[in-house]
Amino acid sequence: MKKITVISPANIAFIKYWGRDNHKLFLPKNSNISMNMSGCLTKTTIEINEKLIKDIVEIKFLSKDYAILEENSIKAKNIFDQINRIRKISKLNFKVHIKSENNFPSDAGIAASASGMSALTGVLLIAFGLKELFEDKKEFSRQVRLCGSGSAVRSVYSGFVEMVYDKENNDAYAVQIADEKYWNLVDIVAVLNPEKKKISSSEGHEIADTSPYMLTRISEMKNRIKMTREAIIERNLTKLGPLIEADCISMHTVMMTSTPPAFYWNAGTMDIIQNILKWRDEENLEVYFTIDAGPNVHIICLNKDINIIEKRIRNNKYVKWTIVNKPCKGTMLSNSHLF
Ligand code: DP6
């Protein structure tokens, strides 16, 4: 029986994907940019077994046991749809056994589905004999997009990645801005609450257009994307930091002004933001924040400042633990299988 294993990182969006122009094709409202996270990985193994009568997907979340996935949530449905879609492209009809595990908390604003869905799509393409689609990264990223997780599109490349939205051609795919060795930027995640979020990103994308602020957000995008790309190429954190923060605040404004409103921040989130602003103003520390669809804060700084900043974040009374991430490789094959 043949087994294939893939490892894929989560990523932190500097310019966020929130809301879609096309829900069927999973086309985003705007191009978006991220950095891969070395400390937040998913490992997925697939087994091709001609004797299986149905697909089995088992997922192990951090510090829990493996559990068989039932088709009772949007995310689970997206996983089974992706298996069926890729099986159909391949014209093969065998069933698969998949096991997948994360080394970080899921559904709490650390883009678990980015690593999970990119790893899943990778093992499926190879198992179903479509290795050429896996190796052509642009095409691979399109295949990832169709599983419904936009952030996962960006995990296929190493380092710093843009998901390009080509509106004219109804297309969206990933391109690499710079590889993982290009810039020693760091993302320290302050884990405040590792619990599952109440409004999932999938639900959030559906209601994003109800926010009156969405049009303003889109009008800001062209320039913000261009400047962010430049800041990465120039390795210029003084330029990048304010762009990251402005985009985070803009996305959360859309979230909070949607119907129904989605509030992801908690008291700890606000406390860390205020600390960061203070350290920057009073001590000239080059440190910035961004937050995805959860309360946890991603603290962006340079490698040389990790120790001082991580120590301070750990001492914050709201912080449960921290995860230090550097830019890393995108989705890749591994020889060590999970079963
Ligand atoms: C706030 O549809 O990719 O993280 O599948 O849950 O990861 P998940 O969500 P997805 O939306 C991402 C929302 C975001 C911003 C971002 O990563 O761009």
Side-chain angles (χ1 to χ4, degrees):
M1 272 165 289
K2 197 173 157 199
K3 284 183 190 167
I4 294 135
T5 297
V6 152
I7 296 175
S8 199
N11 60 72
I12 178 61
F14 291 162
I15 303 301
K16 314 286 188 188
Y17 157 49
W18 196 251
R20 300 190 190 109
D21 262 1
N22 182 321
H23 291 289
K24 269 212 175 90
L25 294 175
F26 300 103
L27 294 174
K29 283 269 166 204
N30 53 275
S31 296
N32 38 91
I33 294 178
S34 63
M35 179 186 102
N36 282 342
M37 297 162 69
S38 61
C40 296
L41 305 174
T42 295
K43 186 172 187 181
T44 302
T45 298
I46 194 168
E47 181 186 48
I48 301 163
N49 185 340
E50 314 252 319
K51 289 193 193 120
L52 280 177
I53 48 167
K54 64 176 209 158
D55 298 314
I56 302 169
V57 180
E58 290 180 86
I59 300 185
K60 182 182 181 314
F61 291 115
L62 186 72
S63 68
K64 298 212 175 106
D65 287 333
Y66 268 104
I68 294 194
L69 187 73
E70 305 292 347
E71 213 171 316
N72 55 4
S73 66
I74 303 182
K75 274 275 132 65
K77 185 179 175 309
N78 287 347
I79 289 174
F80 287 106
D81 284 354
Q82 184 74 333
I83 297 173
N84 290 325
R85 202 180 60 76
I86 292 178
R87 181 164 34 222
K88 201 166 162 196
I89 303 176
S90 76
K91 301 200 174 69
L92 299 169
N93 57 15
F94 55 78
K95 307 285 186 215
V96 291
H97 182 190
I98 294 170
K99 278 188 144 184
S100 186
E101 56 183 66
N102 290 342
N103 67 348
F104 63 102
S106 313
D107 288 321
I110 317 181
S113 53
S115 54
M117 291 301 203
S118 48
L120 173 79
T121 307
V123 291
L124 285 170
L125 288 174
I126 300 171
F128 283 108
L130 301 165
K131 200 166 183 192
E132 70 284 359
L133 300 187
F134 175 75
E135 279 166 356
D136 175 346
K137 292 235 181 273
K138 188 170 170 186
E139 189 47 42
F140 174 31
S141 72
R142 285 197 184 100
Q143 294 296 329
V144 172
R145 191 190 87 228
L146 292 172
C147 77
S149 170
S151 51
V153 171
R154 302 181 305 240
S155 287
V156 312
Y157 279 106
S158 302
F160 301 85
V161 184
E162 177 172 347
M163 177 190 190
V164 177
Y165 175 30
D166 176 357
K167 201 170 179 161
E168 273 90 84
N169 295 305
N170 272 339
D171 196 8
Y173 50 83
V175 295
Q176 187 182 52
I177 298 176
D179 74 15
E180 75 282 9
K181 297 197 189 80
Y182 188 77
W183 192 14
N184 49 12
L185 210 57
V186 178
D187 168 16
I188 304 170
V189 185
V191 181
L192 298 164
N193 181 359
E195 298 297 310
K196 198 169 161 40
K197 61 199 175 207
K198 288 198 180 68
I199 299 184
S200 71
S201 300
S202 310
E203 288 160 324
H205 293 305
E206 306 267 347
I207 58 169
D209 267 332
T210 62
S211 163
Y213 185 69
M214 192 48 143
L215 287 174
T216 308
R217 171 166 171 74
I218 297 308
S219 71
E220 299 163 347
M221 266 313 160
K222 202 167 164 208
N223 189 44
R224 197 177 284 153
I225 285 279
K226 179 176 158 282
M227 304 258 292
T228 301
R229 226 185 270 133
E230 282 170 12
I232 293 170
I233 300 289
E234 293 163 14
R235 299 187 184 93
N236 183 342
L237 183 55
T238 315
K239 181 167 170 177
L240 181 68
L243 293 161
I244 294 179
E245 289 187 352
D247 194 65
C248 165
I249 295 164
S250 153
M251 178 183 74
H252 281 273
T253 304
V254 168
M255 291 162 157
M256 291 179 201
T257 52
S258 295
T259 310
F263 297 100
Y264 292 105
W265 298 5
N266 64 22
T269 315
M270 207 55 229
D271 193 59
I272 294 177
I273 292 176
Q274 275 165 349
N275 276 320
I276 289 175
L277 297 179
K278 192 161 162 244
W279 298 336
R280 219 159 61 209
D281 285 354
E282 292 176 9
E283 300 176 55
N284 255 335
L285 257 182
E286 269 262 272
V287 53
Y288 299 90
F289 65 85
T290 186
I291 304 143
D292 277 345
N296 306 318
V297 185
H298 295 249
I299 296 134
I300 311 296
C301 63
L302 293 172
N303 202 36
K304 67 175 176 60
D305 295 325
I306 287 187
N307 290 345
I308 174 168
I309 292 168
E310 207 214 347
K311 198 165 156 215
R312 289 181 185 200
I313 296 292
R314 268 180 205 260
N315 286 337
N316 182 295
K317 66 175 178 190
Y318 295 102
V319 173
K320 298 217 162 65
W321 72 89
T322 55
I323 308 171
V324 175
N325 300 281
K326 304 188 175 176
C328 68
K329 291 251 177 254
T331 314
M332 60 181 180
L333 279 165
S334 161
N335 289 328
S336 116
H337 304 305
L338 285 172
F339 63 104

